[in-house]
Amino acid sequence: MFSQLGDKLQEIFKDLRGHGTISEANIDAALRQVRLALLEADVDFQVAKEFIARIKEKALGEAVLRSITPGQQIVKIFYDELSILLGGDPAAAGLDLGKPGRILIIGLNGSGKTTSAAKLARLLKKQGRAPVLVACDLQRPAAIEQLATLGKEIDVPVHTPDPNEKNVQRAAAAALESPAFAEPTVGQAIFDTAGRQEIDAGLIEELKQLKDFLQPQETLLVVDAATGQQAVSVATHFNDALQITGIILTKLDGDARGGAALSMREVTQRPIKFVGTGEKLDQFEPFVPERLAGRILGMGDVVGLVEKAAETIEIEDAERLERKLRSASFDFNDFLAQFKMLRKMGPLENVLGMLPGMSNVQGLSIDEKQLKRTEAIVLSMTSEERTRPQILNARRRQRIARGSGSTVTEVNDLVRRFDQMRKMMKNAGKMKKMMAQMARMRK
């Protein structure tokens, strides 16, 4: 998401930076292009109009126009205003929960409510809290089964209603009286509710009654970012009726234009608190406006990248691989381990996009199918072949190609690139030793 918008904005600002001096005409022309880019990305018309007006007011200030680097100053103004538009203070994205606390999850069918409830429970558990999931979607038995399955997967208790129960308030009351809530360790109860294909009076009334009964500290609306302008309308309607406390934006990893995320905070005046960045349960994170603004403008998100690496990569594994690289004893087993470490961090294209300047590099697109073929080739090798790549003769390579569903040419290419990498490591090791010897001789 945001790739098209990001590319257009970066191109506009690249041109603006190229001017030694900037006039009001330059700024007007650039902001017209920015406004069009925002509208094409499905940003709400009124939001885009007011956003551009705020930037123009600040960009036309004397301090900017007479600056040595006016283009950079305008980019900084845009970044600051974009961060405010997305939510401003990242502290507002936290959950306002006591212990125990109650969280009500609401939204339309297909927005990802049930999965988001489980993802949130996993995140709270990781933070040292003790969540319990409560299935309150009496419209879809499949949603109850799904929540129970996800709860087992993340090892979080799940309360399911009586199969004959038709009243959501009674189902919630039964959950609060169940043995799961008798445990002294229970911290937060997450209530997954029913949705509809579209907003209707019956759905809203049911949710109002449930909210009045539960008195939750947080009422979180789950919105599918891929629905564009409709997502803004849905958020407005739910907020007017139920006074939501925040938004969970799902499918932020998709190829939609992303305008919903840019409009949501401004239209509802409620913060985006969490975002789903993939289908897996660990692909869910607190929303930090400044980081997304930086990624849209090609500034990267180094802090986010470091945090993601710290969460997914074991220090011992990283140190062991570093020693292997230094000693040039790196083999296909190590290659596979390193490959899996990187894959844990999510799609590699997303990971590279978190590096400054990499989001709009031509040819950055990563073929995930090719990466899977590469992994399949290595997995088709025997343990001895991975440890001693030099024994990979023609017959062995043919067997590996058949086993991995690839061609002998692809196997040969991988082995050739691997050999080149090992030689580079070996040469780097020799160079390091030589430099150390020269340093000792000087002493």
Side-chain angles (χ1 to χ4, degrees):
M1 194 174 285
F2 296 117
S3 58
Q4 292 182 358
L5 174 62
D7 289 346
K8 287 183 180 179
L9 292 177
Q10 289 166 49
E11 192 62 36
I12 293 166
F13 289 127
K14 182 180 177 183
D15 181 61
L16 203 58
R17 287 191 191 102
H19 294 286
T21 58
I22 288 183
S23 65
E24 185 173 347
N26 295 140
I27 293 173
D28 282 339
L31 291 183
R32 269 197 303 273
Q33 294 180 60
V34 170
R35 183 167 170 270
L36 285 173
L38 292 173
L39 293 175
E40 287 174 8
D42 265 347
V43 175
D44 180 81
F45 173 79
Q46 193 61 33
V47 171
K49 180 181 177 182
E50 292 173 3
F51 178 64
I52 293 297
R54 290 197 298 268
I55 293 173
K56 183 175 180 179
E57 182 182 353
K58 293 182 178 179
L60 290 176
E62 190 173 335
V64 173
L65 295 176
R66 294 193 177 184
S67 167
I68 298 174
T69 56
Q72 295 283 18
Q73 293 274 51
I74 293 172
V75 173
K76 175 65 168 60
I77 290 169
F78 188 91
Y79 168 78
D80 290 341
E81 288 296 324
L82 186 57
S83 298
I84 293 169
L85 181 69
L86 287 166
D89 181 10
L95 292 175
D96 180 20
L97 290 175
K99 190 175 180 179
R102 295 175 185 176
I103 304 169
L104 187 62
I105 304 291
I106 62 175
L108 297 181
N109 278 346
S111 60
K113 290 192 313 302
T114 302
T115 305
S116 294
K119 287 181 174 183
L120 179 57
R122 179 189 175 278
L123 183 65
L124 290 174
K125 183 180 177 183
K126 192 175 178 183
Q127 293 174 350
R129 307 195 193 190
V132 172
L133 288 162
V134 182
C136 286
D137 186 347
L138 306 183
Q139 303 292 326
R140 293 190 311 126
I144 297 173
E145 293 173 11
Q146 181 189 3
L147 194 66
T149 301
L150 292 173
K152 286 181 183 177
E153 190 174 335
I154 60 177
D155 193 24
V156 167
V158 180
H159 176 84
T160 56
D162 184 292
N164 298 317
E165 182 60 75
K166 301 300 179 185
N167 183 287
V168 69
Q169 189 171 317
R170 284 200 303 265
L176 296 174
E177 295 171 2
S178 68
F181 282 83
E183 294 289 335
T185 55
V186 171
Q188 288 76 36
I190 302 172
F191 294 82
D192 177 37
T193 63
R196 303 285 193 279
Q197 291 302 322
E198 57 185 28
I199 294 173
D200 61 46
L203 169 64
I204 294 297
E205 186 57 34
E206 179 180 274
L207 291 174
K208 277 183 176 179
Q209 291 178 9
L210 182 59
K211 184 180 178 184
D212 289 343
F213 170 72
L214 290 174
Q215 293 294 304
Q217 288 91 341
E218 293 280 355
T219 302
L220 301 180
L221 173 66
V222 180
V223 181
D224 181 349
T227 54
Q229 290 279 357
Q230 186 188 357
V232 178
S233 173
V234 167
T236 303
H237 199 109
F238 271 105
N239 185 47
D240 290 345
L242 292 155
Q243 291 77 53
I244 64 174
T245 59
I247 296 163
I248 296 176
L249 202 58
T250 62
K251 302 181 185 176
L252 209 63
D253 58 320
D255 57 2
R257 289 174 284 187
L262 298 180
S263 307
M264 206 73 69
R265 167 66 170 77
E266 188 79 0
V267 170
T268 64
Q269 290 299 299
R270 296 292 185 271
I272 299 171
K273 297 208 172 192
F274 299 96
V275 291
T277 56
E279 293 181 2
K280 295 180 181 178
L281 291 175
D282 60 347
Q283 293 176 323
F284 184 80
E285 57 194 48
F287 181 69
V288 182
E290 291 83 354
R291 293 184 186 177
L292 184 56
R295 293 187 68 177
I296 291 173
L297 294 178
M299 298 174 182
D301 178 11
V302 176
V303 174
L305 182 60
V306 171
E307 287 181 356
K308 191 177 284 288
E311 287 177 5
T312 56
I313 297 175
E314 297 292 334
I315 294 174
E316 294 81 5
D317 292 340
E319 289 176 344
R320 184 181 62 80
L321 282 172
E322 185 189 4
R323 288 194 297 272
K324 285 267 193 175
L325 289 168
R326 283 204 306 261
S327 62
S329 59
F330 192 80
D331 59 26
F332 271 115
N333 288 312
D334 303 311
F335 176 85
L336 193 61
Q338 189 178 53
F339 191 84
K340 287 179 177 177
M341 275 167 42
L342 286 172
R343 292 299 291 270
K344 278 183 184 178
M345 294 173 65
L348 294 186
E349 192 166 348
N350 290 353
V351 173
L352 288 177
M354 297 173 84
L355 295 170
M358 292 294 286
S359 60
N360 64 338
V361 173
Q362 294 298 317
L364 176 64
S365 179
I366 301 211
D367 187 349
E368 288 287 334
K369 289 183 180 178
Q370 181 59 48
L371 293 175
K372 288 179 182 177
R373 279 198 294 272
T374 298
E375 186 177 18
I377 290 171
V378 179
L379 288 171
S380 296
M381 297 177 185
T382 66
S383 178
E384 184 183 12
E385 287 166 348
R386 280 183 237 157
T387 307
R388 299 173 56 219
Q390 62 270 22
I391 68 172
L392 289 171
N393 56 28
R395 183 177 296 176
R396 288 175 183 268
R397 296 184 189 201
Q398 288 173 356
R399 190 205 78 245
I400 291 166
R402 287 196 301 271
S404 60
S406 57
T407 65
V408 174
T409 301
E410 287 176 313
V411 175
N412 289 340
D413 285 345
L414 175 60
V415 174
R416 177 177 52 79
R417 291 198 304 271
F418 183 79
D419 286 339
Q420 289 173 346
M421 184 174 67
R422 290 185 76 182
K423 285 176 184 175
M424 286 174 62
M425 291 178 203
K426 192 173 182 179
N427 291 336
K430 286 180 180 178
M431 181 64 70
K432 190 173 181 180
K433 287 180 182 177
M434 188 171 69
M435 295 295 286
Q437 288 173 353
M438 289 174 66
R440 284 195 294 271
M441 287 172 64
R442 289 194 192 98
K443 291 178 181 178

